[in-house]
Amino acid sequence: MARKKIIAGNWKMNMTPSEAVELINTLKPLVKTEEADVVFCVPAIDIIPAVEAAKGSNIQIGAENLYFEEKGAFTGEISPAMLTDAGVKFVVIGHSERRQYFAETNETVNKKVLKAFEHGITPIVCCGESLEQREQGITIDWIRQQIKIAFLNVTADQAKTAVIAYEPIWAIGTGKTATSDQAEEVCGAIRKCIGEIYDEATAAAIRIQYGGSVNAKTAPELFTKPDIDGGLVGGASLKPEFGQIVNWH
Ligand code: PGA
């Protein structure tokens, strides 16, 4: 069965609640499609107004993070139950910015992935190499390690529903999109790794996105590659251009 594309916006730390509503109202008519899942991953404070604004449309709302405990003395954190109660369906986990600025590790990523599944939230598990790692020729080894640890104790049935976002750090926010061949090479290696951890059926079912300066020009070539099932889009998800990315063909 062909995998359904999934195109997600990652708003990062942009948009106040009222701006979020305005942006969703602008984008709603532009991102209509049956062919892909369309997800807006928004800052925590924007989730409730975003869910409300997206009602009756094909837009699903995701979070950009969650904490791996149920509740309690964890000042400043957001629990998975808070997210599901607010209507969240997806959560970005282990984005390179969180690894870089907020000390996330492969181990905390794994805990968050397990917690998201426990609550029925689909994780968008991020991985990616730095420019130094690419130049050293260790990209695939590095990504395999990130994936193997992120999926520790995740069942095959859970993994089948997961989303992985391959985001080379050197391509994020730089305007330097990976070539479609570079992206396909790593996305293919990720699928192979999932096949090794689980089985062929799981590898065939899991959806793998490319992220890193995706725009309306680069999306069509990226999204036609066999192992690329859509994109995680930062900067261009805040503009009407996102509509063109969603309707890439
Ligand atoms: P970008 O961000 O599209 O602005 O490069 C992608 C991401 O970080 O998810």
Side-chain angles (χ1 to χ4, degrees):
M1 212 183 73
R3 291 180 295 272
K4 191 175 188 187
K5 291 267 190 285
I6 175 162
I7 298 164
N10 172 16
W11 286 11
K12 310 194 179 188
M13 198 175 75
N14 294 295
M15 300 291 140
T16 64
S18 45
E19 288 167 347
V21 171
E22 212 179 295
L23 180 60
I24 290 176
N25 287 333
T26 306
L27 290 180
K28 241 196 293 200
L30 306 178
V31 299
K32 269 196 206 151
T33 178
E34 304 264 293
E35 285 174 40
D37 285 332
V38 179
V39 185
F40 289 14
C41 298
V42 306
I45 198 163
D46 295 345
I47 288 170
I48 290 173
V51 167
E52 191 58 36
K55 270 201 182 127
S57 79
N58 60 319
I59 300 166
Q60 302 183 78
I61 300 300
E64 297 178 13
N65 186 25
L66 93 181
Y67 197 54
F68 52 73
E69 295 288 350
E70 287 297 319
K71 56 151 75 173
F74 304 102
T75 302
E77 292 297 318
I78 311 278
S79 79
M82 292 171 189
L83 296 182
T84 51
D85 189 61
V88 162
K89 306 285 186 230
F90 292 85
V91 60
V92 177
I93 296 179
H95 190 280
S96 61
E97 286 149 19
R98 293 215 53 88
R99 296 178 192 253
Q100 184 180 352
Y101 304 123
F102 303 101
E104 294 226 346
T105 63
N106 287 339
E107 288 71 26
T108 59
V109 167
N110 176 239
K111 286 186 183 184
K112 291 181 177 192
V113 168
L114 291 168
K115 202 39 119 176
F117 278 124
E118 201 180 309
H119 285 264
I121 307 173
T122 302
I124 299 176
V125 185
C126 300
C127 60
E129 83 288 1
S130 66
L131 188 57
E132 293 71 28
Q133 289 167 327
R134 175 158 284 267
E135 285 169 351
Q136 275 183 286
I138 59 169
T139 297
I140 304 289
D141 291 340
W142 176 259
I143 303 283
R144 283 172 59 87
Q145 182 167 342
Q146 288 186 319
I147 294 300
K148 286 193 172 184
I149 300 175
F151 281 82
L152 206 64
N153 298 320
V154 172
T155 68
D157 281 347
Q158 290 171 330
K160 281 188 180 104
T161 68
V163 179
I164 294 173
Y166 166 55
E167 299 203 305
I169 297 168
W170 49 271
I172 295 177
T174 57
K176 211 176 149 191
T177 320
T179 66
S180 55
D181 287 339
Q182 284 173 324
E184 170 63 16
E185 184 197 3
V186 181
C187 291
I190 293 170
R191 198 174 302 287
K192 185 161 167 274
C193 182
I194 291 292
E196 287 167 26
I197 303 171
Y198 301 100
D199 47 43
E200 281 311 304
T202 309
I206 199 165
R207 292 189 288 180
I208 305 174
Q209 299 173 315
Y210 166 78
S213 299
V214 174
N215 58 44
K217 269 211 192 86
T218 55
E221 199 181 318
L222 288 162
F223 296 175
T224 38
K225 288 289 182 185
D227 287 306
I228 302 179
D229 305 314
L232 184 58
V233 185
S237 73
L238 302 168
K239 303 186 275 194
E241 182 179 358
F242 192 60
Q244 289 167 262
I245 296 172
V246 165
N247 295 290
W248 56 280
H249 62 0

